[in-house]
Amino acid sequence: MLVAAVLFAGCRGEHPTADTPGADLEQQSVRLARETLIVDTHVDLPDRLNRNPEDISAQTGNGHFDYVRAKAGGLNAPFMSIYVSADHQEAGDAKAHADALIDMVEGFEEAWPDKFAVARSTQDVLRNFERGIISLPMGLENGAAIEDDLANLEHFYNRGIRYITLTHSKNNQFCDSSYADEDTWGGLSPLGRQLIAEMNRIGIMIDVSHVSDEAFYEVMELSKTPVIASHSSCRHFTPGFERNMDDRMIRALASNGGVIQITFGAAFLTETANEQAQKAWDTVDQYLEDHGLTGDEAAYEEQQERYWAEHPRTEVNIGDLVDHFDHVVALVGIDHVGIGSDFEGVAWLPVGMEDASALPNLIEEFLRRSYTEEDIRKILSGNLLRVWREVEQYAAGPL
């Protein structure tokens, strides 16, 4: 597999094609990463920098994403997750927190206009790709930031939000969460049903990652446009883990024209890793509760590190990750799957997929499994851009 230091050695156009006997898959994967627009629908960079500021125009000492690593891996359009935790929705400052993170993303463009540009449309993404600039579209992770006023939806659209994850770790005013122990609404709330219609009208993609199964099926019934799961994987490999999508849900999503953007977190990929992660989460949550530290993110990270130092983890690799892509393709075809890494939002990633510079390793595994270059381009951006374009067109109305 490739290493970031040599990712882009060689010249454009001199690499063998997928149909050439004995093709060098490493070189071919580099070429595809370089030539293809790559969209990742979930990168939690703003939250990471809000807690630990760093200069992302250079290679940073922490995390999974910066300009150097994104360029090395060919990541052209990472959706910046404007993450609003359940703590903010309960404190009543969810909208203000979201606005502050959007300010941060806009600041990247202001500070480094030769490297980054906020993208508000599919055309922006394509233009920035031609210019060699990394696009920064934005998704709002947790609709709680809209508060109880749907007029705020227009506010966030005007600020550049192009998808909204309806909820996060707890039930909110719009729907129930997959992580909640009890239902509040049995799916969507009355206000949540209004929200779906307004998102369709305005032109914001609906994101069903984190929602309960009941909420998911209501969204499928109501949405007039294709829907995305911005960072979810297949429940087939993690039985009982509701944050992932089961086969029936994936089929429904595809029937709607939508895409599941496979997430890279190890806990989402194998049953063993999921069980180990669940135990870690439960242990750390109990510690924080016992010591009055619930909501203290620094304490949470410290206890997570301590837990994993004492409890070795099973190895998860790129093959385990690509198994999820294979599963979706077998169920519904190549047109309904993409990438939603959750870089910066997860601490445990597959071996060989440690940060944004490693994306050619993922492409190489697709090639090993006989995906065509056309297939790979659909996964890397084509499928997501198709959905985004359809959402834009619906909002624009009849020509």
Side-chain angles (χ1 to χ4, degrees):
M1 289 191 176
L2 304 171
V3 294
V6 296
L7 282 181
F8 293 130
C11 299
R12 181 188 294 268
E14 295 181 355
H15 303 288
T17 66
D19 300 323
T20 303
D24 185 325
L25 298 187
E26 288 191 1
Q27 290 185 343
Q28 189 180 355
S29 65
V30 168
R31 175 176 59 80
L32 283 169
R34 180 192 301 167
E35 296 177 352
T36 306
L37 172 61
I38 301 180
V39 176
D40 180 342
T41 46
H42 202 86
V43 176
D44 269 304
L45 181 70
D47 181 63
R48 167 192 150 198
L49 297 184
N50 188 54
R51 291 179 283 115
N52 300 292
E54 289 188 278
D55 177 358
I56 61 163
S57 69
Q59 184 158 344
T60 59
N62 299 299
H64 310 133
F65 177 93
D66 52 52
Y67 180 77
V68 174
R69 287 184 282 183
K71 292 297 283 187
L75 179 52
N76 316 107
F79 271 77
M80 296 287 98
S81 172
I82 305 303
Y83 167 54
V84 176
S85 70
D87 293 332
H88 287 290
Q89 79 185 42
E90 291 171 349
D93 66 345
K95 179 175 179 290
H97 183 71
D99 276 326
L101 294 186
I102 294 171
D103 290 344
M104 179 194 295
V105 175
E106 291 176 342
F108 301 155
E109 179 178 18
E110 294 170 4
W112 307 295
D114 60 327
K115 295 180 172 63
F116 300 110
V118 174
R120 295 177 171 83
S121 68
T122 54
Q123 286 302 308
D124 283 350
V125 170
L126 294 173
R127 280 192 294 266
N128 292 336
F129 179 59
E130 290 300 317
R131 296 167 57 211
I133 302 292
I134 293 178
S135 288
L136 300 177
M138 290 181 282
L140 176 61
E141 187 176 22
N142 192 352
I146 300 164
E147 300 180 336
D148 294 322
D149 185 357
L150 293 185
N152 285 329
L153 194 62
E154 195 98 40
H155 165 81
F156 283 117
Y157 179 86
N158 291 337
R159 296 222 61 192
I161 294 297
R162 290 300 179 267
Y163 77 71
I164 295 176
T165 316
L166 300 181
T167 189
H168 190 253
S169 61
K170 294 185 179 180
N171 303 337
N172 66 11
Q173 67 269 44
F174 298 115
C175 70
D176 296 330
S177 167
S178 61
Y179 281 131
D181 294 329
E182 297 180 357
D183 290 344
T184 300
W185 307 107
L188 296 176
S189 71
L191 189 61
R193 289 188 280 275
Q194 294 179 48
L195 176 66
I196 300 305
E198 280 297 284
M199 289 176 69
N200 285 168
R201 182 185 69 80
I202 291 172
I204 298 177
M205 290 181 284
I206 299 163
D207 176 19
V208 293
S209 290
H210 282 285
V211 308
S212 69
D213 288 8
E214 294 79 7
F216 167 84
Y217 285 111
E218 285 197 67
V219 170
M220 291 301 101
E221 291 177 6
L222 292 171
S223 181
K224 305 299 184 184
T225 64
V227 168
I228 69 170
S230 71
H231 58 306
S232 295
S233 293
C234 302
R235 203 179 300 174
H236 173 82
F237 298 97
T238 57
F241 185 46
E242 192 174 347
R243 252 296 274 122
N244 277 345
M245 298 179 68
D246 68 22
D247 290 0
R248 180 179 168 225
M249 296 168 78
I250 294 169
R251 290 190 182 100
L253 187 74
S255 294
N256 161 271
V259 290
I260 175 172
Q261 302 287 104
I262 299 298
T263 194
F264 295 0
F268 293 77
L269 301 182
T270 73
E271 186 172 11
T272 300
N274 183 260
E275 290 172 350
Q276 291 176 345
Q278 293 275 10
K279 187 172 182 180
W281 297 334
D282 291 345
T283 301
V284 171
D285 286 345
Q286 188 62 56
Y287 177 91
L288 296 178
E289 183 178 338
D290 292 345
H291 292 80
L293 296 170
T294 301
D296 185 329
E297 293 180 347
Y300 182 86
E301 291 184 4
E302 179 183 347
Q303 292 306 313
Q304 279 276 359
E305 291 179 8
R306 179 176 297 178
Y307 180 89
W308 288 121
E310 299 171 356
H311 300 82
R313 297 183 287 209
T314 188
E315 180 174 298
V316 176
N317 58 47
I318 288 180
D320 297 314
L321 171 57
V322 176
D323 286 346
H324 288 254
F325 290 89
D326 286 351
H327 187 73
V328 175
V329 172
L331 280 175
V332 296
I334 194 65
D335 295 322
H336 304 284
V337 64
I339 292 172
S341 68
D342 208 0
F343 283 143
E344 311 297 2
V346 292
W348 183 9
L349 289 160
V351 174
M353 188 47 61
E354 287 83 3
D355 59 38
S357 72
L359 284 167
N361 292 342
L362 177 63
I363 296 171
E364 184 181 337
E365 184 64 20
F366 288 138
L367 292 169
R368 290 186 190 283
R369 299 192 187 198
S370 299
Y371 283 72
T372 67
E373 291 195 4
E374 180 183 0
D375 291 340
I376 293 169
R377 290 190 178 98
K378 286 184 176 183
I379 291 170
L380 296 181
S381 61
N383 293 336
L384 187 280
L385 290 177
R386 169 187 56 80
V387 170
W388 189 357
R389 197 172 294 116
E390 289 184 34
V391 170
E392 291 175 330
Q393 292 169 347
Y394 181 90
L399 297 177

